[in-house]
Amino acid sequence: MANKSLFVTRLALGVAGFFLAVTPAAADWPMAGQNNQRTSYSSADTSPSSIDLSSACWSKKFTDYIPSKAHIITVDRGTTNSMVYVPTAAGVYALNALTGAQVWFYQTPLPVGHSPTVDKTTDTMYIPVLDKTIHAVNATTGVKKWQTLKAGGGFLTSPLVANNLVYAGNRDGYMYAFRTTDGSLAWSYQTGGPVDYSPAINSGNSVLYFASADSYAYALNALTGALNAKSVKFQGHGFYSFWPVVHPSLNRVLFARSLNYPDDNYIDENQRSVFPFESQASNSVAPFIAYHTSNPDRRSLQILDSTTLAEQEIAPYMWWGNPNGNRYPPAIDGNGTVWALSAWYQISAGEFPKGRYMGWKIGSNTFTPKPDLTGGDLESTDEPEAIAIFGGSIWHSDGGDGADKGGVASISTSNRQMWDPNSLYTMVGAWYSNWNLFRYGNGLVNQSGWAGIRGTHGNQNPPVPLRGKAYVHRSNTVICMQP
């Protein structure tokens, strides 16, 4: 039985499940996007003015590659038993949150494909692996509970747990639902391309949302796998790396997608060309929405009706990132404001447009710029970033030319702090001079000058909270930042 393949024995079986209440946002990060709606919001209490960038509470470097898109996973179990989980090419490491000491290591036969997910009600970790299976592990001991039969491809998505089921998309084009009791197959749904875009679920746990490389968004009955709705086919090259975001108070689900015609769009809007708006920054969304109304192919964040998956409001956000892959998904704070990266300002013609975090309540005429409208700490649109909201602040890590930088900006005040490679070098201690030797596990020769600070222009991961601290992985190193 252990050698049988899901790809061969796939059965669309019914499942008896019960509806779980929506868990309030907590001061930890048990899954990518923090919660089943993937809002990237937590009610942690760390504030930007309390972070001391002169030192780290601890740092730990890894030789095993840590996927740059994967979030660190944190689980709050009190002062002594809280843990930080790190997915790598060799398996998952569990670290003591206070000291960074290894508690256990779960080895996988092939690399972990994305962030694992911890179900806090049972303290079970679900690990997506490129061996074509999901592994269920005791999150406190690292002992395996079960392993699914093999699918037709590897799992490059972050699992979601609800209704006593584990949901995960697969490279074979299927969305799978496995029973949490034993890993048996409950149902599966086939799309027209690889599913590398992780699922999210609505607040009642009844509708599952995801997208496929076939460029369609899907809404399935979460209990049976039956198709509820399917979107129009979006332009671009499919959906990868990340996830949809379910709005917590509106009948909306947001899909961050890939750039349409990469060369044309990227050059027009992001590459030393003429920004399509006036250089004087304004917090009105009108010109942005008008632009996307006239140029629907330039929309990269789709706001869809969560029942029909028909497009609703036009999102004002301009493209942000590189000309391949998906833009990073938005975060939604406790007030329902959607925060996503966008350009809104160009200092002069021939320069990269700049901006950062555009906070917009769907339907509003204005947006809130962070860190500010035209001042310092704005960024160029070709520098990919990942964001998370906790402690009333937007936390971010940045890739691009000045890799391994990041920062935190208060939503309600002007407080902010930024860090760059130099401050990270100081934080992590005496071995900082060998930082580049461990950049993304590649064993690179240490370099100096501009070439020495380059990291990845691709997928990024944000800082995440746990008990008043923030944790992030940069350059294949996990860093704990302390108040």
Side-chain angles (χ1 to χ4, degrees), residues 1 22 62 68 72 97 107 122 130 167 272 306 322 328 386 406 463:
M1 192 67 180
V22 179
F62 290 82
S68 58
I72 288 178
Q107 186 173 9
T122 62
L130 294 182
Y167 303 96
R272 302 186 189 279
S306 58
N322 302 130
Y328 197 80

Side-chain angles (χ1 to χ4, degrees), residues 436-483:
N436 286 353
L437 294 178
F438 294 92
R439 176 157 287 141
Y440 304 108
N442 292 327
L444 299 176
V445 175
N446 202 12
Q447 298 174 328
S448 60
W450 188 249
I453 66 171
R454 291 179 183 268
T456 175
H457 267 74
N459 295 326
Q460 303 296 321
N461 67 93
V464 301
L466 179 62
R467 298 184 64 80
K469 295 180 173 62
Y471 299 81
V472 66
H473 69 88
R474 306 303 299 165
S475 287
N476 231 52
T477 301
V478 175
I479 303 170
C480 168
M481 292 179 281
Q482 63 185 356

Side-chain angles (χ1 to χ4, degrees), residues 29 31-40 69-71 114-115 157-158 196-200 209-211 239-246 253-257 301 326-331 386-387 460-462:
W29 210 262
M31 62 184 290
Q34 206 284 328
N35 52 63
N36 281 357
Q37 290 73 52
R38 308 275 189 182
T39 60
S40 292
K69 68 181 179 182
H71 289 197
H114 209 306
S115 315
T157 57
S158 170
D196 295 337
Y197 202 73
S198 302
Y209 302 98
F210 68 99
F239 293 83
Y240 304 89
S241 301
F242 302 119
W243 44 82
V245 180
V246 179
V253 56
L254 288 72
F255 283 80
R257 66 171 180 83
L301 180 58
N326 275 116
R327 65 175 296 150
Y328 197 80
I387 66 175
Q460 303 296 321
N461 67 93

